Amino acid sequence: MTMTPPDILTPRLRLRAMGADFLGASADGRDIDELSALIGLKVATAWLRESALAALRLQDVTTDPASLPWSVRALALRDSGEMVGHAGFHSRPAPDYLAPYAADAVEIGYTIYPRHRRQGLARETLVALIRWAHVEHGVPRFVASVSPDNLASCALLATAGFRRIASFIDDIDGLEYVLLLDAPDVAHLLGT
């Protein structure tokens, strides 16, 4: 049995790993009260529409239990336990698919639900995940992929030091920019 990783804490947020039981229940379309009880947070109704993501990450953590700390995490307000989004990494560090961009990197992703946007929570999440991966696990570089139409995310990533290095056409999302945060920019972002 895999232990649930500890929460990553920021001044306003709790980033809680989604274990296999929670992911399985989410993929199965269980109700919000059952999901909330499983994770110990007030699950947002927006999460109920993420069953495909839950199924994908459940497959990851079932196949490779050591990937759980890197997988999707619920973002919840520390004071209320209300889930405001989700974030994490697409895999463990140095996956084969990132070799053309940065062989030693990990891909990061985040979603803040609409009513919680424009409050700095995405930046707080981004910095917390990068700090955790860099300081605790030695990851030197980070990749993000984003639609050029997602102006807020493009701006956030640019101000964090990410720079565009490529683009590709995703089968579901269409055009995506590939952005890279190199080691010197990681140190600058984290103030180290």
Side-chain angles (χ1 to χ4, degrees), residues 45-99:
T45 55
W47 174 252
L48 301 178
R49 295 186 292 276
E50 298 283 359
S51 60
L53 173 63
L56 177 66
R57 295 302 173 226
L58 175 62
Q59 182 180 7
D60 292 346
V61 301
T62 302
T63 304
D64 178 12
S67 71
L68 180 59
W70 299 94
S71 190
V72 65
R73 290 176 180 257
L75 306 179
L77 298 174
R78 286 179 70 171
D79 62 355
S80 68
E82 177 187 3
M83 186 176 173
V84 298
H86 56 84
F89 301 97
H90 293 216
S91 67
R92 291 205 281 163
D96 292 341
Y97 81 93
L98 288 182

Side-chain angles (χ1 to χ4, degrees), residues 7-18:
D7 293 345
I8 297 171
L9 301 175
T10 75
R12 295 182 292 169
L13 295 171
R14 176 177 305 281
L15 286 67
R16 179 160 294 166
M18 296 180 180

